[in-house]
Amino acid sequence: MRVAVIGAGKMGLPLACQFASRGAEVRACDLRQDLVDAINRGHCPIEEPGVEAMLSAAVAAGRLRATADASTAIAASEVVVVIVPAILTAQREADLSALLAVSEQVAGSLQRGAMVCYETTVPVGTTRNRIRPLLEAKGLVAGRDFDLVYSPERIKSGTVLQRISETPKVVGGFTAAAAERAADFYHRYLGAPVLNLGTLEAAELVKLAAMVYRDVNIALANELARYGEVVGTDLGPILDAANTDGETYLLRPGIGVGGHCTPVYPYFLIHDAARTGTRVTLVERARGINDGQSEHMIRRLEQALGGLRGRRVLLLGLAFRPGVREDLCSPAFLVRDELVRRGADVRLHDSLYSDADLTARGFQPGQLSGEPAAEVLVLVTGHPEYANLDFQALARRGTRAVVDGRCLWAAEQVRAAGLIYIGVGRPDDGPSQRGS
Ligand SMILES: NC(=O)c1ccc[n+]([C@@H]2O[C@H](COP(=O)([O-])OP(=O)(O)OC[C@H]3O[C@@H](n4cnc5c(N)ncnc54)[C@H](O)[C@@H]3O)[C@@H](O)[C@H]2O)c1
């Protein structure tokens, strides 16, 4: 089976390695020559546990090659898998530019009889109404001359190899035969159970539904957290207890939701619902609640300190997930803006990033060990290195307050050091019953 994977990034490359490990002859195609060269040398250019070994074995066995010449790879392939990014424009519309550019390229080289599978998350209807016309522009017709499939990538970077063959692979086709063909392909070359949903649109909506569920669930946790903060209860143990009934699965509140998935894909649904004359008000509201968490937490800090003008604040963490060097839509940006708006002097520490990386993203680099210590620490990312800070020492060096955006610290321990503690879902002045 000759397979071209277009987009050899964090998801495309592990996918290419998995196909190769199960016997396919794979061409990983990417615009970035540095990725292509690294792969062909047997080096893994992405940080994903376990992929380096798979990649070097596949390259050594001659089953995986990378190329920047996607057209040649497409022309030589029976299956073309597209997994390039789609995020948001400045107007929060789906930015399909990479996907549409690749589709034009696929159209120019596609073999009669091939199958084209799109895995990038897209608004419902994109594969049929935006992509198919481009693929057919050179005369081949979907369903007659080639098979068109949508199959969302539902696993996430950081845990790819753990999940790649366990998470059911959802497929839908332009025709029933295309969906069946995709089911056979993924079953054999991914080694995962397959859920054939029939149509392109059904498969597209599966991914959006799951992303919206996550965002709405977090928004609910954030609303409960705000309530808990006022009535004087610590929400953490309450969520743990609620989740023991076998029917509840509440996620954790926090200072914000980041990444290229959870805060992005709800807009794919919101815009398409508006276009179709319907509204997804709960989804819209959840986005507002989650993006409003940074403002909410910084307002609590401002009230506790009686103002933030001129205060030296150190943000801890830029990455949107602990231990993963990814910062698209990180809450750190919103938190910084809230602080700057109130006149604070803001710096940021994240040891996954160099000072130059931070500067390029609009942050002033800061150090935890810097003298004098920042007056305020705001925890944005629960990196393990922040779990055991010495609050007594920080207090001696001039820190006055901390904002715990991930409930990583024990409030009593922080307060015992003489610091003001402000935690998501935790009351400002200990577990009293102010609201009762
Ligand atoms: N990263 C995740 O955790 C994750 C999880 C689930 C789904 N996804 C889906 O996968 C998509 C890709 O995510 P990713 O994390 O792999 O992105 P990525 O940025 O790591 O990789 C995408 C790659 O595509 C390449 N590319 C862009 N345009 C191209 C073109 N015209 N031709 C060839 N290559 C091109 C880029 O150079 C890059 O290397 C996302 O948009 C999302 O829909 C990602």
Side-chain angles (χ1 to χ4, degrees), residues 36-53:
V36 168
D37 294 342
I39 295 166
N40 287 335
R41 283 197 308 271
H43 292 307
C44 182
I46 59 163
E47 292 163 24
E48 184 63 47
V51 172
E52 175 102 40

Side-chain angles (χ1 to χ4, degrees), residues 8-287:
K10 290 182 287 299
M11 301 312 294
L13 187 54
L15 204 56
C17 291
Q18 179 76 357
F19 294 151
S21 77
R22 295 181 64 86
E25 265 183 52
V26 183
R27 292 288 171 273
C29 310
D30 205 286
L31 293 176
R32 281 181 51 189
Q33 192 63 45
D34 59 323
L35 292 190
V36 168
D37 294 342
I39 295 166
N40 287 335
R41 283 197 308 271
H43 292 307
C44 182
I46 59 163
E47 292 163 24
E48 184 63 47
V51 172
E52 175 102 40
M54 274 180 103
L55 183 145
S56 50
V59 171
R63 292 215 170 277
L64 175 65
R65 295 286 302 162
T67 178
D69 176 9
S71 298
T72 304
I74 293 161
S77 296
E78 295 150 76
V79 174
V80 178
V81 174
V82 180
I83 181 148
V84 297
I87 47 171
L88 294 178
T89 65
Q91 291 71 39
R92 291 180 168 161
E93 303 271 0
D95 178 356
L96 302 175
S97 51
L99 209 51
L100 300 182
V102 168
S103 302
E104 285 177 359
Q105 197 173 16
V106 172
S109 306
L110 192 63
Q111 265 191 30
R112 197 174 286 274
M115 174 170 72
V116 193
C117 305
Y118 285 80
E119 294 210 8
T120 302
T121 308
V122 290
V124 172
T126 299
T127 314
R128 185 182 304 273
N129 302 321
R130 303 290 305 276
I131 289 172
R132 181 177 60 104
L134 295 177
L135 294 178
E136 293 182 336
K138 303 282 178 188
L140 295 186
V141 175
R144 186 189 73 191
D145 303 314
F146 68 94
D147 282 319
L148 177 58
V149 168
Y150 182 76
S151 177
E153 186 49 76
R154 302 194 306 139
I155 53 182
K156 61 182 180 185
S157 54
T159 56
V160 170
L161 291 192
Q162 262 171 292
R163 307 243 179 115
I164 199 163
S165 54
E166 284 172 11
T167 306
K169 192 73 174 130
V170 166
V171 298
F174 180 65
T175 59
E180 276 302 320
R181 183 175 171 190
D184 288 347
F185 168 75
Y186 282 114
H187 177 67
R188 178 145 177 221
Y189 290 99
L190 203 60
V194 175
L195 291 176
N196 182 349
L197 283 238
T199 65
L200 299 169
E201 288 75 12
E204 289 167 338
L205 187 52
V206 167
K207 172 77 183 192
L208 292 187
M211 286 294 112
V212 163
Y213 162 79
R214 173 171 286 268
D215 206 38
V216 170
N217 190 328
I218 295 170
L220 175 58
N222 283 333
E223 275 207 330
L224 291 171
R226 292 186 195 189
Y227 174 73
E229 289 156 14
V230 173
V231 299
T233 51
D234 179 351
L235 194 69
I238 292 167
L239 293 183
D240 288 342
N243 284 346
T244 59
D245 70 0
E247 297 191 18
T248 308
Y249 187 64
L250 283 158
L251 294 171
R252 296 277 143 183
I255 198 164
V257 177
H260 47 71
C261 295
T262 316
V264 169
Y265 301 144
Y267 290 110
F268 287 12
L269 193 61
I270 290 167
H271 283 285
D272 203 50
R275 186 189 60 78
T276 57
T278 52
R279 293 226 22 216
V280 281
T281 45
L282 184 60
V283 177
E284 291 173 30
R285 183 81 191 107
R287 271 295 62 241

